Amino acid sequence: MMARPPNLRVIPGFDTTLGLTLALLSLVVLLPLAALVLKAAGLGVAQWLAIVTDPRVLASFRLSFGGAAIAAGLNGIFGLLVAWVLVRYRFPGRKLVDAFIDLPFALPTAVAGIALTALYAPNGWVGQFLPFKVAFTPLGAMLAMVFIGIPFVVRTVEPVLQDLESELEEAAACLGASRAQTFARVILPVIAPALLTGISLAFARAVGEYGSVIFIAGNMPGVSEIAPLLIVTKLEQFDYVGATAIATLMLGLSFALLLAINLLQKWNRQRMGAAS
Amino acid sequence: MSNHPAIRDPAWVRVALIAAALAFLGLFLVLPLAAVLAEALRKGLDSYARALAAPDTLAAIRLTLLVAAIAVPVNVVFGLSASWAIAKFDFRGKALLVSFIDLPFSVSPVISGLIYVLLFGAQGVLGPWLAEHDVKIVFAIPGIVLATIFVTFPFVARELIPLMEEQGRDEEEAALTLGAGGLRTLWSVTLPNVKWGLLYGVLLCNARAMGEFGAVSVVSGHIRGLTNTMPLHVEILYNEYDFVGAFAVASLLALLALVTLGAKSALEWVHRDQLAATRRH
């Protein structure tokens, strides 16, 4: 970035726009978040620990984080498959399918929640053919998490696959590699950073997801209750302290995750830069 | 994309992979949409129309439109001023500012609602003062609007910042040297350059504003006919076993999602080179 001395500035409006930006940012984002930190600071460490190590809270974190990890893993596999098919193959309706990928971003989560519940309920279109229960079990929660995570992996892997130079694959083929070997040894290492970034974005989204999960999960305490729902339950019982303690733990974990994602993306960009 | 035979997958592999991908997407994306429509029309068109014409449903639709009509313009103003400050000037702490703007995307919707309850609620930091002055924010419309602005905060800014950074400052500097004022430059030079990106951000912002559930649910108080947005109304009807009603309202939201997707794809196809989102790697 080029640094220029401030007295050479021609463009006006720096004070106004930065002032407005900071004012809105403080009012809408920073001040309310500070209220959470303030409330949490009022809790002693012992009290905070007592709340977050309660068996019901621990179970909800296991489902939110464990379920999100499984869902993100599935999204990694299917997202890679979908991205591969969309970039490499030509078939009728490909553009329509590509546009449809972002549906989970555009569809309100409550709508997704009741639709998935209707499908996977024991008498639903899909549920009636399954030998095991999906809706109203932890499996249902994971299903909703898979749904909302679909676009992340596809959208991060697609551009990298597009930029992948075919010469690399041709060279591998000339040297006697099979397609499977080329995929595992040549293609996969190049797209790995993007794939991992997509998986962690899907994971981060699934951890905090509320709307689509609560309809299908059944919400049995200790079994199929997610951490965000427990926050809502505590709030409805006017247990603001409990809600705050759980929220700070979730927030801390998601910020750690965000940091990891940023590092991954940096690595991704470096790899992309080195390849071109 | 190369058609070199050495790196072309055999036909059966191609067919199998395409079939698997389409089956996955059909199961997870198409079937839920079809289910919404089927459930909404289960008892015929008359019940569907009656469900949509119910007074509480109409009130929910009005509130959702009102909330979006406030939240989207606020985010446009914020997005324009943030991207102007960030793209047109160099200053210290810029990277930090950008990551603060992205913050709402990494917060669970429920926590987004909770922070407003903790700030403005009866037990909150400002609660006693607000009660004294008879101002209601939480469990009322202002809280719903604030929570919606929070969850949609980054949409416009995050589309405009990279776009305006890429376009540089030359055109604005030229306009200013030729005697145009700041606002005139913004209106006649900058805005025409970023209009498709702005529209793209507004589309996504609007879809989220109308569809937000978690954050709004925490601050709304669920007062029928007063503080229920469409997604919250879906939940209430669903929990009352009024499935036709719930899916009828849901079908409107699904339609909104489809319109948003269509408009977004049209923008991506026609103005691909003027959007930041399609070039972000």
Side-chain angles (χ1 to χ4, degrees), chain A residues 196-251:
Chain A
L196 276 177
T197 305
I199 291 173
S200 15
L201 287 171
F203 176 71
R205 173 72 205 265
V207 163
E209 180 56 20
Y210 174 72
S212 56
V213 175
I214 55 160
F215 291 98
I216 199 172
N219 307 328
M220 273 240 297
V223 181
S224 56
E225 183 180 53
I226 51 167
L229 177 64
L230 198 52
I231 296 178
V232 172
T233 310
K234 298 255 179 213
L235 267 180
E236 278 168 0
Q237 298 162 347
F238 299 102
D239 179 5
Y240 286 35
V241 172
T244 305
I246 302 170
T248 46
L249 181 57
M250 277 200 79
L251 216 53

Side-chain angles (χ1 to χ4, degrees), chain B residues 132-180:
Chain B
E132 220 170 86
H133 293 76
D134 208 24
V135 182
K136 257 189 99 65
I137 293 185
V138 169
F139 308 137
I141 293 171
I144 297 177
V145 172
L146 276 173
T148 306
I149 294 176
F150 180 93
V151 294
T152 53
F153 207 59
F155 277 111
V156 178
R158 142 192 281 243
E159 174 63 29
L160 286 185
I161 292 169
L163 197 59
M164 277 166 73
E165 270 179 340
E166 199 176 54
Q167 286 170 347
R169 304 163 188 180
D170 299 349
E171 291 186 30
E172 280 81 8
E173 283 169 351
L176 291 156
T177 331
L178 292 171

Side-chain angles (χ1 to χ4, degrees), chain B residues 17 26 28 35-36 55 57 73 115 125 138 161 187-188 192-193 234 240 263 277:
Chain B
L17 290 183
F28 272 88
V36 170
T57 301
I115 56 177
V125 184
V138 169
I161 292 169
W187 185 254
S188 314
N193 276 338
V234 168
E240 287 171 350

Side-chain angles (χ1 to χ4, degrees), chain A residues 22 30-31 43 47 67 84 120 127 134 141 143-144 146 173 176 188 192 217 235:
Chain A
L22 290 178
L30 299 181
L31 197 67
L43 293 163
Q47 196 188 1
W84 177 269
Y120 289 89
V134 176
L143 194 85
V146 170
L188 207 54
L235 267 180

Side-chain angles (χ1 to χ4, degrees), chain A residues 90-181:
Chain A
R90 293 293 171 267
F91 54 93
R94 190 184 61 92
K95 275 196 157 181
L96 191 69
V97 173
D98 192 48
F100 224 61
I101 298 290
D102 285 326
L103 181 72
F105 284 160
L107 193 69
T109 53
V111 178
I114 62 171
L116 289 172
T117 312
L119 285 176
Y120 289 89
N123 59 352
W125 289 355
V126 181
Q128 59 181 309
F129 299 111
L130 297 175
F132 46 88
K133 256 182 95 172
V134 176
F136 319 122
T137 70
L139 214 54
M142 283 175 228
L143 194 85
M145 289 171 175
V146 170
F147 172 82
I148 48 128
I150 290 172
F152 292 100
V153 175
V154 180
R155 293 299 184 228
T156 47
V157 172
E158 261 185 330
V160 186
L161 269 181
Q162 244 147 18
D163 288 355
L164 194 70
E165 282 160 49
S166 53
E167 283 87 345
L168 286 176
E169 289 169 61
E170 282 165 17
C174 291
L175 292 169
S178 69
R179 277 305 280 161
Q181 279 173 323

Side-chain angles (χ1 to χ4, degrees), chain B residues 42 50 89 218 259 276:
Chain B
R42 179 174 287 250
R50 250 199 317 280
F89 300 99
V218 171
V259 170

